[in-house]
């Protein structure tokens, strides 16, 4: 299924309804909770690596290309790729940090290294989310303690888990995520419209000239 | 830490760790629950990216997402267009009289989708639907309505209710609206029982939610 990634990325850079660092676990075998920067924009939930918050402050272009051998234990290709890029960048911009940070061995070997050749590439990597979830036809449930899960109608047992820092934060997220769904907004609009019409005898959508629109009718099949 | 030579040239960064748009939620939204028809669907001609000719595609608009399929009956779409921050406008075409374009996130490297309808009526219908499809537009429509509802409730001395969580609540038959709460309650009850019977064979525990 094709889509233009730039459109989705552009969306992820818009001001968020809500954003926070939260623990997240995806429904994949053996996955663990990872801290992510989670950002709600329209009906999409984006999640970013948290160390990118640091990287966003680094603005100098790479000064020279260099190769590094360092050993790190990583989960999958995407992580490996990302981490290598991160090391390369940091080695150019903050070399004294690199030697302290990385103690372990690469579990995957790769013959070539990719380097940042321009400021734009570096910025794109920094500002790019790891992933995006469309918040439609989903169920958002409270999970004890102070967490919640998102699951989708077709596979209710496959859950994305989130761990908040407090009950309050948790409830705020649950409410915000439910309100973010386009279908929820549509149902709300239909509900308010009908209730207002019942109580006042007037259709509130008439003033907008859209009272006949199919998408705001009760039950178009 | 071993450092290599500084004059090494490496290929331009290809395939930057790509963002993962989880497929299942997107497909699930397209297929719907059967409770609601799409906002608009029909044939549109789409100009290919590599191939400059127009291809006939089946387009389905749901919410702020525009899906396109090779064939109407396909389960999996060919592609998806996000309609937030889009400009939709008619355009001139040498071959198509009812041509229009969707400019998606134009400033940030989004695409220009070149489309054409097969009639004036279709063109007008699609333009109208697409221009209003953004999430923010719906939000802006919803806010004053919500405020109006609170006000009207206050004036009537009635406690405002929260809008329904689940779609099923609004699956009322299209016959006249119930005239009393009793009737509404009765009708819901019958619907719930019908649902319960039809789902008796499936593992559905969430029916208990609104018991």
């Amino acid at each position: 299924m094709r889509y233009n990634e730039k459109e989705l990325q552009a969306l992820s850079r818009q001001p968020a309804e809500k954003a926070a660092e939260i623990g997240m676990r995806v429904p994949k075998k053996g996955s663990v909770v990872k801290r992510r920067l989670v950002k709600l924009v329209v009906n999409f939930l984006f999640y970013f690596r948290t160390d990118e918050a640091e990287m966003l402050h680094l603005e100098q272009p790479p000064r020279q290309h260099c190769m590094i051998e360092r050993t790190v234990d990583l989960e999958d290709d995407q992580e490996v790729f990302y981490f290598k890029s991160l090391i390369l960048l940091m080695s150019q911009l903050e070399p004294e940090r690199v030697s302290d940070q990385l103690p372990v061995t690469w579990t995957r070997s790769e013959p070539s290294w990719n380097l940042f050749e321009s400021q734009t590439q570096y910025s794109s990597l920094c500002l790019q989310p790891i992933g995006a979830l469309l918040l439609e036809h989903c169920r958002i449930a409270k999970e004890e303690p102070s967490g919640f899960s998102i699951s989708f109608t077709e596979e209710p047992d496959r859950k994305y888990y989130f761990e908040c820092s407090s009950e309050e934060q948790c409830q705020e997220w649950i409410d915000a995520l439910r309100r973010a769904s386009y279908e929820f907004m549509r149902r709300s609009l239909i509900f308010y419209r009908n209730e207002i019409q019942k109580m006042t005898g007037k259709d509130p959508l008439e003033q907008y000239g859209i009272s006949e629109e199919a998408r705001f009718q009760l039950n178009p099949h | 830490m071993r450092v290599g030579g500084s004059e090494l040239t490496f290929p331009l960064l290809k395939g930057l760790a790509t963002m993962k748009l989880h497929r299942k939620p997107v497909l699930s939204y397209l297929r719907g629950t059967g409770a609601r028809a799409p906002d608009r669907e029909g044939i549109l001609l789409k100009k290919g990216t590599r191939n400059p000719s127009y291809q006939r595609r089946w387009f389905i608009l749901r919410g702020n997402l525009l899906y396109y399929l090779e064939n109407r009956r396909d389960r999996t779409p060919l592609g998806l267009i996000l309609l937030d921050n889009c400009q939709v406008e008619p355009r001139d075409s040498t071959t198509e009289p009812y041509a229009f374009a969707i400019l998606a996130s134009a400033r940030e490297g989004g695409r220009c989708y070149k489309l054409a309808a097969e009639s004036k009526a279709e063109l007008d219908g699609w333009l109208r639907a697409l221009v209003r499809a953004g999430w923010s537009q719906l939000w802006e429509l919803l806010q004053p309505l919500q405020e109006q509802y609170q006000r009207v409730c206050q004036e009537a001395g009635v406690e405002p209710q929260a809008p329904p969580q689940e779609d099923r609540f609004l699956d009322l038959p299209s016959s006249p609206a119930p005239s009393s709460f009793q009737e509404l309650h009765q009708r819901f009850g019958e619907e719930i029982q019908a649902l319960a019977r039809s789902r008796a064979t499936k593992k559905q525990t969430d029916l208990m939610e609104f018991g």
Side-chain angles (χ1 to χ4, degrees), chain A residues 87-193:
Chain A
I87 295 163
L88 288 164
L89 244 196
M90 286 174 73
S91 71
Q92 289 153 35
L93 300 168
E94 296 186 9
E96 60 285 357
R97 288 181 63 186
V98 178
S99 48
D100 296 337
Q101 297 287 317
L102 312 162
V104 289
T105 321
W106 292 116
T107 53
R108 292 167 189 279
S109 63
E110 265 188 41
S112 68
W113 291 81
N114 287 321
L115 288 177
F116 290 106
E117 291 194 1
S118 70
Q119 176 64 22
T120 349
Q121 286 177 322
Y122 153 65
S123 311
S124 331
L125 186 72
C126 284
L127 297 170
Q128 196 168 254
I130 305 169
L133 285 171
L134 174 67
L135 298 169
E136 298 294 338
H137 287 180
C138 60
R139 185 145 180 275
I140 298 163
K142 180 92 174 48
E143 302 285 341
E144 298 307 329
S146 63
F148 61 91
S149 65
I150 302 177
S151 59
F152 296 88
T153 327
E154 285 180 358
E155 292 176 316
D157 298 323
R158 206 166 163 272
K159 293 182 177 183
Y160 293 80
Y161 285 96
F162 297 84
E163 288 175 7
C164 301
S165 51
S166 71
E167 288 286 350
E168 202 187 331
Q169 185 193 42
C170 185
Q171 196 54 51
E172 280 175 13
W173 273 95
I174 292 174
D175 293 339
L177 293 170
R178 285 183 181 150
R179 280 197 308 266
S181 149
Y182 190 102
E183 293 305 321
F184 173 79
M185 292 203 296
R186 191 211 301 270
R187 282 199 298 275
S188 305
L189 190 144
I190 292 173
F191 172 79
Y192 294 137
R193 177 195 190 181

Side-chain angles (χ1 to χ4, degrees), chain B residues 34-101:
Chain B
R36 188 158 199 106
D39 295 316
R40 193 177 177 90
E41 58 180 336
I43 293 174
L44 285 174
L45 302 167
K46 180 176 173 290
K47 207 169 191 187
T49 28
R50 273 161 274 161
N51 181 356
S53 66
Y54 284 91
Q55 305 287 322
R56 203 171 245 103
R57 300 284 180 238
W58 186 262
F59 277 75
I60 295 178
L61 172 65
R62 246 189 218 283
N64 55 345
L65 300 180
L66 183 63
Y67 298 84
Y68 54 97
L69 291 71
E70 196 165 12
N71 300 298
R72 185 177 181 167
R73 302 265 170 247
D74 287 349
R75 286 274 288 168
T76 306
L78 277 179
L80 172 68
I81 301 170
L82 305 186
L83 295 173
D84 296 283
N85 311 319
C86 265
Q87 266 170 270
V88 183
E89 51 198 31
R91 65 179 179 95
D92 291 321
S93 157
T94 43
T95 51
E96 297 299 325
Y98 311 112
F100 66 101

